[in-house]
Amino acid sequence: MTTWEQIAAAKRAQTLSQIPKGWVEPNLIQNMNKDGYVSACGYLDTVLPEHEVSITNLTATELAGKIASREMTSYDVCYAFCHRAALAHQILNCCIEIFFEQALEKARELDSYFAATGKLLGPLHGVPFSLKDQVNLIGLETTIGYISRVGQKSDKMSLLAKVLQDQGAVFFLKTTVPTAMLASETVSSLHGRTLNAINIAFSSGGSSGGEGSLIGAKASPLGVGTDIGGSIRIPAAFQGLYGLRPSHGRIPYMDVTNSYEGQELIPSVIGPLSSSLKDLELFTKLVVDSETWNYDPQVVPVPWRDSSEVTKRKLRIGLMTWDGLVMPHPPVLRALRETCHALTSRGHEIVKWSFPDNEKLVDVGEKVYGADFYAEVEQILEKTGEPISDYMNIARNVSRGKGHSGNALDVNQWWEVSQEIRHLKQKFLKYWKNTENVTSDGKPIDAILCPVWPSAGFHDGKVDFGCENYTVPFNVLDYSCVVFPVTQVNVEIDSVESGHLPSLPDDQKMHGYYEAQDFDKIPVCLQVVCKRLEEEKVLAIASVIESCLAATT
Amino acid sequence: MTTWEQIAAAKRAQTLSQIPKGWVEPNLIQNMNKDGYVSACGYLDTVLPEHEVSITNLTATELAGKIASREMTSYDVCYAFCHRAALAHQILNCCIEIFFEQALEKARELDSYFAATGKLLGPLHGVPFSLKDQVNLIGLETTIGYISRVGQKSDKMSLLAKVLQDQGAVFFLKTTVPTAMLASETVSSLHGRTLNAINIAFSSGGSSGGEGSLIGAKASPLGVGTDIGGSIRIPAAFQGLYGLRPSHGRIPYMDVTNSYEGQELIPSVIGPLSSSLKDLELFTKLVVDSETWNYDPQVVPVPWRDSSEVTKRKLRIGLMTWDGLVMPHPPVLRALRETCHALTSRGHEIVKWSFPDNEKLVDVGEKVYGADFYAEVEQILEKTGEPISDYMNIARNVSRGKGHSGNALDVNQWWEVSQEIRHLKQKFLKYWKNTENVTSDGKPIDAILCPVWPSAGFHDGKVDFGCENYTVPFNVLDYSCVVFPVTQVNVEIDSVESGHLPSLPDDQKMHGYYEAQDFDKIPVCLQVVCKRLEEEKVLAIASVIESCLAATT
C-alpha cells in the first residue's frame, strides 16, 4: 500500500519534473543565501537574463499593450514568465501544476493568429495568467491541498478560466493552497510550505499564498485567488501586492472546486492579485463585461458601471485605525497615518470609523467556518491518513473556547447564525449611513480605510500569530475590498513604542510579537473597503489613494 | 387558564370590533346568497353607494392621479375603501388588523398638507394600501397566523412600510395569512378561513390569501404579499389579479416578520398584488428608486432600469404548456393557447419550453421548506396547544414519502441541498441559453409563459388539490414572475376533454378534479417569467402580452 507520504513525495517530484531540465537548479536557495538575499524576487532579478527581467517587470496591462503594438510577442513574454516561475518555484514552492509547454504552444498560436488576422482575442491577448489550484482546467488535477485527490484529473474547465482564455489569457501553471484552503498560510502535507517572495523567512500568507508568492516574485503578472476569510487579501498584503476581494456574485465561481461548496452564508469569492492596480481593473471589467450571469446563476446581472465621478471630487473616508481587539504594529499604524496625510493634503476628508461590534463579526465568521467542526475536512483527510493541519487544530480550539460543542450544527442552529449575520449587516449599514452626521458635507463616507493584518506579516511556521480580524468582517458583510501597498517596515522609524497597552490575550500576543528589526523591509499594505457590489467604486477610490500617496512621496 | 380557542375567538371579535358600528351587517352573507351572488366583489357593487363604487373601481395609479389633480380627496378615497373593506371582511374574513380611524386621520393630514403646500409626498400620495399581516406597523400585532402571538404589539415598522408611507401610501388594514404562512390556502386556527372574492365556494389561495381576497373584492387598490412557494402568485391567480414575484433582494424584506427567518436558500420575497399591471410597476419603481440598499443589506444595489426596448420589438417567448407532471385543466390550456395566439398574431415568436428537471425543482423546494420537518412551527403551536394545520400534515406526508427521516437536517445535509439547487440553477440557465438554437433569430428567449396553477382554483377546504408545481420552481430559481389574468372558465367552451391520459398519481387526481361547470366563471391567470433580477423586463413583457390580448379580444 502506498502511504500518504509516498503519494505526496511523488506529487512534488511530478510538479518539479514539469520544469524543463535546463531550468532546474538544485542549489538555488543555497546560492541565494550565499548572495545575501532574503527576497526571491530580488534574487531572481540577478540570475535571470536582463531582457527577461525587463519583460517580467511589466504589468499585465503593459504586456498586453506591447503585444498589441507588436513590440513583443506572446511567446517571448510567456517564455520569460515560465523561466522565472520555474526558478521561483524552486525557491518558494509556490506551484502545484506546471504546464509551460502547452502555454508556450498557446502563446505561439496567439502570435500566429494575430499575425494572420491582425486581431486580438481580447484585452488579455497573449498575457501569461496564473491560477490558484482550485480553478479547474481540463486534464489537470485540482487537489486543493488534499493528498487523496492526487491523480484525479479534472474533466471540466471553470467558467472564469474559459472567460479569461477567450480574452487571450495564457495559463501556464496553477499555484499552491493550504489543505482545504482553510488557512492564512500556505502549507499542506501534499506540497509542504510556500514561502514569502519578499523574505523567505516569512509566510506567504494564505490561502492564495501560491499566487501571492508567485506574483510577489514577479513570476506572473496577474492571477486569481479566492477569499472566504482574507485569502486574497492576506497573501497580497504579505507580498506588497494589490488584490481585489469582490462581492459574491460579481466574478463567476462556477465550476471552481471548493471546500464546503454548499455553504452560502459567507461565500468564498474569486478575484485578482497583481503588482498593479490597473491590472485589477483590467481583469474585473473584462470579466463583468463577459456577462457570465447568463451561465452562472450566482452572478448578479450588474454590468460594469462608470465610477470616474469618485476620482473627480472630495472623498469621505472612514478611518478604522484598529478594531478595538488587536492593535496593529507600528509600521501598520504609520501606513495608516501616511495614507491619511496623503489624502487630507489633497483635500479629502477623513472621519473616524469605530463600529462597535467588530468582535461579533469575527466570532460569527468562526461559527460559519467551523459549523461542522471541520468534519468534511477530516473525512477527506482520513482517506489517506494524512494529519489534520496545525491551523485547523487552532481553529477548533478557538471554536471550543467559544462554546462549540464539537458536533455539526443542525439546520435550525445554522439559521440562527444566518439571522445573526443579517442583523450585524443591518447594524453595519446603519452605522455607515450615520457617518453623514460626522462628515463636513452631511453625506455618508465613500469607503473605509483600515489594516489588512495587524502586522506586516508573520514568520513562516508561526501560524499562531494568525489574526484575521481585519479581513473576516468584510467576508461576513460581503463588501468589496482592495488591498494596496503603502510602505515597508523601516527599522529606523518603526522602532518607536506605540504606547499601546494591550489587555486582551490576542492583543498581548500580537503586541509581544513586534520587534522592528524582525520585520525590516517587509511590505505594508492597507485595505480600502466599499459596500456590497461596489467593485468599480472601490477600485476607483484605490486609484485615488494611490495617486495621493504618489504625490506625497 | 385561557384556551387557544378562547384567545382566537377574542381576537376575531376584536378584529370585527374595529369596524364602525354602522358598517357592521351580520346578515351580509345570507343576503348575498339570497341575491344569488357567489362573488363578493359583484355583490358589494350592488350594496355600496354608487359614488364609492366609482372610487373603488379605480386603480392605484388612477386614484393617485385624481388626488394629485384635486378631483378627489384622499379622505374620500380612503373612506370608500374602508367601507368596502369592512363589508368585504364580513363576507370573506380577509382582515386581521383593522385601523380605519387612523387611516382616515392620515388621509385628512395628507389632504391638508397638499392643500397647504401644493406638494405631494410621492407617487402614492393619499392612496389606500393594504399589507399582509407579516408587515410590521408599530403598535399593531403581527401574529402570522399563530394564536400564541396574539397580544404582542410590534415596536418596529418594516422598512418597506416606511418607504411606502414616505411616498404617501395610507395603510388601513392588515390581511390574513395561514398559520406560519406555509400554505396555498389561507386558514388558521386564529382567524378561520379566508374566502375567494370571486366565488366564495373557492379558496382565496395563499399564503397572501387575505390580500388576494381583499383586492379581488376591490376593497384595496394595491397591497403587498410575500412568496416563498407561490404565495403572491396563487392568490393573485385565484382572484384574477396581477401579482409580481420579484427576485430576492429587489424589494426590502427588512423587519418583515417571517417563519424560518434564517432560511436563505429559497428566500421568501415581498411584492405587490393589484387589479392593474400599471400599479405593479408604480409600486416596484417607487420602491427601487428609494434605494433601500442603504438600509437593508439583502437588497441588491440595482437601480430601476429602462426596459422599454422590449415593448418595441419582436419578443421570443418559451411556452411551457405543462411541466410533464401535472397537466393543467382545459381552461388553463385554453388561456395558454389564446395568449400564444394573441402574441403570434402581433408578430411575436413562441418556441417550446420543456426543461427536463421540473420534478427535481419541485422536490428540492419541498426539501428546503421541510428541512426541520416543521419543528419550528410545532414549537410555536405548542405554546397554546393549537393543532397543526392540514396543509402541514400533507406536507409532512409528502416529505416522508420522499424519504424525509422526520428529523431536522444537519448542516452538512443542508449544504448538499444548497449544491443541488445550484446545479439545477446552472442547468436551467444553460437550457435557457440554448433556446437560441430554436428561435428564428438565434437569440435566447426573453421569457417563459406558463400556468400558475394547473386548475383555475380549488374549492375552499380542498387543500389536497394543492399543487405548487408551477410556482415553486421559480422560487427555487429566484426568477422574476408576473401573474396576469387572461380569461375565465366558460362552461360552454371548456367542457371539452383535453384528451390527456394521466399516469402519475398527482396528475390523475388533478385530472379527476375537473368538471367545467364546477369552475364556471372562475378567472384564469397565467404567469410570465424572466430571469433573476429582471423585474423591469418581466413587467414590460407582461404589458406587451396585455396589449396583445386586448387587441385580439
PDB file of all heavy atoms in Angstrom, chain A residues 49-71:
ATOM      1  N   PRO A  49      18.218  36.401 -17.305  1.00  0.00           N
ATOM      2  CA  PRO A  49      18.711  37.303 -18.359  1.00  0.00           C
ATOM      3  C   PRO A  49      17.999  38.664 -18.288  1.00  0.00           C
ATOM      4  O   PRO A  49      16.791  38.728 -18.025  1.00  0.00           O
ATOM      5  CB  PRO A  49      18.332  36.573 -19.653  1.00  0.00           C
ATOM      6  CG  PRO A  49      18.115  35.155 -19.266  1.00  0.00           C
ATOM      7  CD  PRO A  49      17.682  35.140 -17.850  1.00  0.00           C
ATOM      8  N   GLU A  50      18.752  39.692 -18.551  1.00  0.00           N
ATOM      9  CA  GLU A  50      18.249  41.055 -18.427  1.00  0.00           C
ATOM     10  C   GLU A  50      16.980  41.291 -19.258  1.00  0.00           C
ATOM     11  O   GLU A  50      16.047  41.945 -18.802  1.00  0.00           O
ATOM     12  CB  GLU A  50      19.347  42.033 -18.862  1.00  0.00           C
ATOM     13  CG  GLU A  50      19.218  43.394 -18.237  1.00  0.00           C
ATOM     14  CD  GLU A  50      20.433  44.263 -18.586  1.00  0.00           C
ATOM     15  OE1 GLU A  50      21.583  43.758 -18.434  1.00  0.00           O
ATOM     16  OE2 GLU A  50      20.219  45.394 -19.031  1.00  0.00           O
ATOM     17  N   HIS A  51      16.984  40.759 -20.487  1.00  0.00           N
ATOM     18  CA  HIS A  51      15.803  41.022 -21.330  1.00  0.00           C
ATOM     19  C   HIS A  51      14.571  40.318 -20.782  1.00  0.00           C
ATOM     20  O   HIS A  51      13.455  40.775 -20.945  1.00  0.00           O
ATOM     21  CB  HIS A  51      16.061  40.625 -22.789  1.00  0.00           C
ATOM     22  CG  HIS A  51      16.100  39.139 -23.022  1.00  0.00           C
ATOM     23  ND1 HIS A  51      17.224  38.375 -22.768  1.00  0.00           N
ATOM     24  CD2 HIS A  51      15.150  38.283 -23.459  1.00  0.00           C
ATOM     25  CE1 HIS A  51      16.959  37.104 -23.050  1.00  0.00           C
ATOM     26  NE2 HIS A  51      15.704  37.021 -23.477  1.00  0.00           N
ATOM     27  N   GLU A  52      14.761  39.208 -20.096  1.00  0.00           N
ATOM     28  CA  GLU A  52      13.622  38.550 -19.461  1.00  0.00           C
ATOM     29  C   GLU A  52      13.136  39.365 -18.262  1.00  0.00           C
ATOM     30  O   GLU A  52      11.932  39.529 -18.049  1.00  0.00           O
ATOM     31  CB  GLU A  52      13.988  37.128 -19.021  1.00  0.00           C
ATOM     32  CG  GLU A  52      14.125  36.168 -20.204  1.00  0.00           C
ATOM     33  CD  GLU A  52      14.395  34.721 -19.771  1.00  0.00           C
ATOM     34  OE1 GLU A  52      14.048  34.346 -18.624  1.00  0.00           O
ATOM     35  OE2 GLU A  52      14.952  33.981 -20.580  1.00  0.00           O
ATOM     36  N   VAL A  53      14.090  39.876 -17.494  1.00  0.00           N
ATOM     37  CA  VAL A  53      13.726  40.694 -16.331  1.00  0.00           C
ATOM     38  C   VAL A  53      12.956  41.938 -16.778  1.00  0.00           C
ATOM     39  O   VAL A  53      11.993  42.365 -16.129  1.00  0.00           O
ATOM     40  CB  VAL A  53      14.969  41.076 -15.501  1.00  0.00           C
ATOM     41  CG1 VAL A  53      14.621  42.066 -14.397  1.00  0.00           C
ATOM     42  CG2 VAL A  53      15.607  39.821 -14.903  1.00  0.00           C
ATOM     43  N   SER A  54      13.364  42.487 -17.916  1.00  0.00           N
ATOM     44  CA  SER A  54      12.653  43.686 -18.373  1.00  0.00           C
ATOM     45  C   SER A  54      11.231  43.341 -18.782  1.00  0.00           C
ATOM     46  O   SER A  54      10.331  44.169 -18.686  1.00  0.00           O
ATOM     47  CB  SER A  54      13.405  44.362 -19.526  1.00  0.00           C
ATOM     48  OG  SER A  54      13.332  43.556 -20.675  1.00  0.00           O
ATOM     49  N   ILE A  55      11.001  42.103 -19.213  1.00  0.00           N
ATOM     50  CA  ILE A  55       9.622  41.662 -19.518  1.00  0.00           C
ATOM     51  C   ILE A  55       8.840  41.425 -18.232  1.00  0.00           C
ATOM     52  O   ILE A  55       7.722  41.914 -18.058  1.00  0.00           O
ATOM     53  CB  ILE A  55       9.640  40.365 -20.374  1.00  0.00           C
ATOM     54  CG1 ILE A  55      10.151  40.672 -21.790  1.00  0.00           C
ATOM     55  CG2 ILE A  55       8.257  39.725 -20.416  1.00  0.00           C
ATOM     56  CD1 ILE A  55      10.370  39.434 -22.667  1.00  0.00           C
ATOM     57  N   THR A  56       9.435  40.692 -17.307  1.00  0.00           N
ATOM     58  CA  THR A  56       8.693  40.320 -16.089  1.00  0.00           C
ATOM     59  C   THR A  56       8.474  41.507 -15.164  1.00  0.00           C
ATOM     60  O   THR A  56       7.697  41.416 -14.222  1.00  0.00           O
ATOM     61  CB  THR A  56       9.392  39.162 -15.329  1.00  0.00           C
ATOM     62  OG1 THR A  56      10.753  39.539 -15.055  1.00  0.00           O
ATOM     63  CG2 THR A  56       9.371  37.877 -16.142  1.00  0.00           C
ATOM     64  N   ASN A  57       9.163  42.604 -15.441  1.00  0.00           N
ATOM     65  CA  ASN A  57       8.917  43.820 -14.657  1.00  0.00           C
ATOM     66  C   ASN A  57       7.658  44.556 -15.088  1.00  0.00           C
ATOM     67  O   ASN A  57       7.231  45.495 -14.421  1.00  0.00           O
ATOM     68  CB  ASN A  57      10.108  44.774 -14.769  1.00  0.00           C
ATOM     69  CG  ASN A  57      11.055  44.606 -13.587  1.00  0.00           C
ATOM     70  OD1 ASN A  57      10.614  44.245 -12.483  1.00  0.00           O
ATOM     71  ND2 ASN A  57      12.333  44.857 -13.800  1.00  0.00           N
ATOM     72  N   LEU A  58       7.095  44.139 -16.206  1.00  0.00           N
ATOM     73  CA  LEU A  58       5.922  44.848 -16.734  1.00  0.00           C
ATOM     74  C   LEU A  58       4.627  44.313 -16.115  1.00  0.00           C
ATOM     75  O   LEU A  58       4.546  43.149 -15.707  1.00  0.00           O
ATOM     76  CB  LEU A  58       5.870  44.706 -18.261  1.00  0.00           C
ATOM     77  CG  LEU A  58       7.063  45.311 -19.026  1.00  0.00           C
ATOM     78  CD1 LEU A  58       6.958  44.966 -20.506  1.00  0.00           C
ATOM     79  CD2 LEU A  58       7.147  46.819 -18.825  1.00  0.00           C
ATOM     80  N   THR A  59       3.635  45.175 -16.096  1.00  0.00           N
ATOM     81  CA  THR A  59       2.320  44.745 -15.610  1.00  0.00           C
ATOM     82  C   THR A  59       1.583  44.035 -16.744  1.00  0.00           C
ATOM     83  O   THR A  59       1.971  44.127 -17.909  1.00  0.00           O
ATOM     84  CB  THR A  59       1.484  45.958 -15.180  1.00  0.00           C
ATOM     85  OG1 THR A  59       1.207  46.753 -16.347  1.00  0.00           O
ATOM     86  CG2 THR A  59       2.222  46.810 -14.159  1.00  0.00           C
ATOM     87  N   ALA A  60       0.486  43.393 -16.390  1.00  0.00           N
ATOM     88  CA  ALA A  60      -0.337  42.728 -17.412  1.00  0.00           C
ATOM     89  C   ALA A  60      -0.835  43.738 -18.437  1.00  0.00           C
ATOM     90  O   ALA A  60      -0.844  43.455 -19.640  1.00  0.00           O
ATOM     91  CB  ALA A  60      -1.511  42.016 -16.742  1.00  0.00           C
ATOM     92  N   THR A  61      -1.246  44.895 -17.939  1.00  0.00           N
ATOM     93  CA  THR A  61      -1.742  45.940 -18.844  1.00  0.00           C
ATOM     94  C   THR A  61      -0.657  46.363 -19.827  1.00  0.00           C
ATOM     95  O   THR A  61      -0.902  46.513 -21.031  1.00  0.00           O
ATOM     96  CB  THR A  61      -2.210  47.149 -18.008  1.00  0.00           C
ATOM     97  OG1 THR A  61      -3.124  46.687 -16.998  1.00  0.00           O
ATOM     98  CG2 THR A  61      -2.880  48.207 -18.859  1.00  0.00           C
ATOM     99  N   GLU A  62       0.558  46.546 -19.301  1.00  0.00           N
ATOM    100  CA  GLU A  62       1.677  46.933 -20.168  1.00  0.00           C
ATOM    101  C   GLU A  62       2.029  45.825 -21.155  1.00  0.00           C
ATOM    102  O   GLU A  62       2.282  46.072 -22.338  1.00  0.00           O
ATOM    103  CB  GLU A  62       2.902  47.281 -19.320  1.00  0.00           C
ATOM    104  CG  GLU A  62       2.737  48.581 -18.525  1.00  0.00           C
ATOM    105  CD  GLU A  62       3.785  48.743 -17.410  1.00  0.00           C
ATOM    106  OE1 GLU A  62       4.414  47.739 -16.996  1.00  0.00           O
ATOM    107  OE2 GLU A  62       3.955  49.888 -16.930  1.00  0.00           O
ATOM    108  N   LEU A  63       2.032  44.598 -20.668  1.00  0.00           N
ATOM    109  CA  LEU A  63       2.351  43.464 -21.550  1.00  0.00           C
ATOM    110  C   LEU A  63       1.332  43.358 -22.679  1.00  0.00           C
ATOM    111  O   LEU A  63       1.709  43.199 -23.852  1.00  0.00           O
ATOM    112  CB  LEU A  63       2.375  42.161 -20.742  1.00  0.00           C
ATOM    113  CG  LEU A  63       3.523  42.026 -19.740  1.00  0.00           C
ATOM    114  CD1 LEU A  63       3.233  40.887 -18.754  1.00  0.00           C
ATOM    115  CD2 LEU A  63       4.855  41.783 -20.459  1.00  0.00           C
ATOM    116  N   ALA A  64       0.055  43.481 -22.321  1.00  0.00           N
ATOM    117  CA  ALA A  64      -0.995  43.410 -23.345  1.00  0.00           C
ATOM    118  C   ALA A  64      -0.787  44.508 -24.383  1.00  0.00           C
ATOM    119  O   ALA A  64      -0.931  44.278 -25.590  1.00  0.00           O
ATOM    120  CB  ALA A  64      -2.373  43.533 -22.698  1.00  0.00           C
ATOM    121  N   GLY A  65      -0.414  45.684 -23.904  1.00  0.00           N
ATOM    122  CA  GLY A  65      -0.174  46.810 -24.805  1.00  0.00           C
ATOM    123  C   GLY A  65       0.987  46.541 -25.748  1.00  0.00           C
ATOM    124  O   GLY A  65       0.907  46.812 -26.952  1.00  0.00           O
ATOM    125  N   LYS A  66       2.072  45.994 -25.208  1.00  0.00           N
ATOM    126  CA  LYS A  66       3.262  45.759 -26.036  1.00  0.00           C
ATOM    127  C   LYS A  66       3.039  44.615 -27.023  1.00  0.00           C
ATOM    128  O   LYS A  66       3.601  44.618 -28.124  1.00  0.00           O
ATOM    129  CB  LYS A  66       4.482  45.489 -25.150  1.00  0.00           C
ATOM    130  CG  LYS A  66       4.962  46.766 -24.456  1.00  0.00           C
ATOM    131  CD  LYS A  66       6.282  46.594 -23.747  1.00  0.00           C
ATOM    132  CE  LYS A  66       6.625  47.814 -22.910  1.00  0.00           C
ATOM    133  NZ  LYS A  66       6.941  49.028 -23.718  1.00  0.00           N
ATOM    134  N   ILE A  67       2.235  43.641 -26.611  1.00  0.00           N
ATOM    135  CA  ILE A  67       1.904  42.564 -27.560  1.00  0.00           C
ATOM    136  C   ILE A  67       1.013  43.125 -28.670  1.00  0.00           C
ATOM    137  O   ILE A  67       1.233  42.861 -29.859  1.00  0.00           O
ATOM    138  CB  ILE A  67       1.234  41.374 -26.827  1.00  0.00           C
ATOM    139  CG1 ILE A  67       2.246  40.708 -25.879  1.00  0.00           C
ATOM    140  CG2 ILE A  67       0.679  40.352 -27.824  1.00  0.00           C
ATOM    141  CD1 ILE A  67       1.661  39.718 -24.887  1.00  0.00           C
ATOM    142  N   ALA A  68       0.060  43.942 -28.270  1.00  0.00           N
ATOM    143  CA  ALA A  68      -0.871  44.511 -29.251  1.00  0.00           C
ATOM    144  C   ALA A  68      -0.156  45.426 -30.245  1.00  0.00           C
ATOM    145  O   ALA A  68      -0.532  45.516 -31.410  1.00  0.00           O
ATOM    146  CB  ALA A  68      -1.986  45.274 -28.539  1.00  0.00           C
ATOM    147  N   SER A  69       0.886  46.100 -29.736  1.00  0.00           N
ATOM    148  CA  SER A  69       1.621  47.014 -30.631  1.00  0.00           C
ATOM    149  C   SER A  69       2.789  46.306 -31.329  1.00  0.00           C
ATOM    150  O   SER A  69       3.629  46.949 -31.952  1.00  0.00           O
ATOM    151  CB  SER A  69       2.128  48.200 -29.822  1.00  0.00           C
ATOM    152  OG  SER A  69       3.113  47.756 -28.909  1.00  0.00           O
ATOM    153  N   ARG A  70       2.835  45.006 -31.178  1.00  0.00           N
ATOM    154  CA  ARG A  70       3.857  44.157 -31.799  1.00  0.00           C
ATOM    155  C   ARG A  70       5.287  44.457 -31.333  1.00  0.00           C
ATOM    156  O   ARG A  70       6.243  44.087 -31.993  1.00  0.00           O
ATOM    157  CB  ARG A  70       3.777  44.247 -33.340  1.00  0.00           C
ATOM    158  CG  ARG A  70       2.424  43.822 -33.885  1.00  0.00           C
ATOM    159  CD  ARG A  70       2.391  43.915 -35.413  1.00  0.00           C
ATOM    160  NE  ARG A  70       1.058  44.251 -35.887  1.00  0.00           N
ATOM    161  CZ  ARG A  70       0.129  43.357 -36.247  1.00  0.00           C
ATOM    162  NH1 ARG A  70       0.383  42.088 -36.188  1.00  0.00           N
ATOM    163  NH2 ARG A  70      -1.057  43.745 -36.658  1.00  0.00           N
ATOM    164  N   GLU A  71       5.387  45.145 -30.174  1.00  0.00           N
ATOM    165  CA  GLU A  71       6.726  45.337 -29.604  1.00  0.00           C
ATOM    166  C   GLU A  71       7.260  44.036 -29.025  1.00  0.00           C
ATOM    167  O   GLU A  71       8.466  43.838 -28.900  1.00  0.00           O
ATOM    168  CB  GLU A  71       6.645  46.361 -28.465  1.00  0.00           C
ATOM    169  CG  GLU A  71       6.842  47.789 -28.878  1.00  0.00           C
ATOM    170  CD  GLU A  71       6.763  48.675 -27.653  1.00  0.00           C
ATOM    171  OE1 GLU A  71       7.770  48.818 -26.939  1.00  0.00           O
ATOM    172  OE2 GLU A  71       5.649  49.193 -27.385  1.00  0.00           O
TER     173      GLU A  71
END
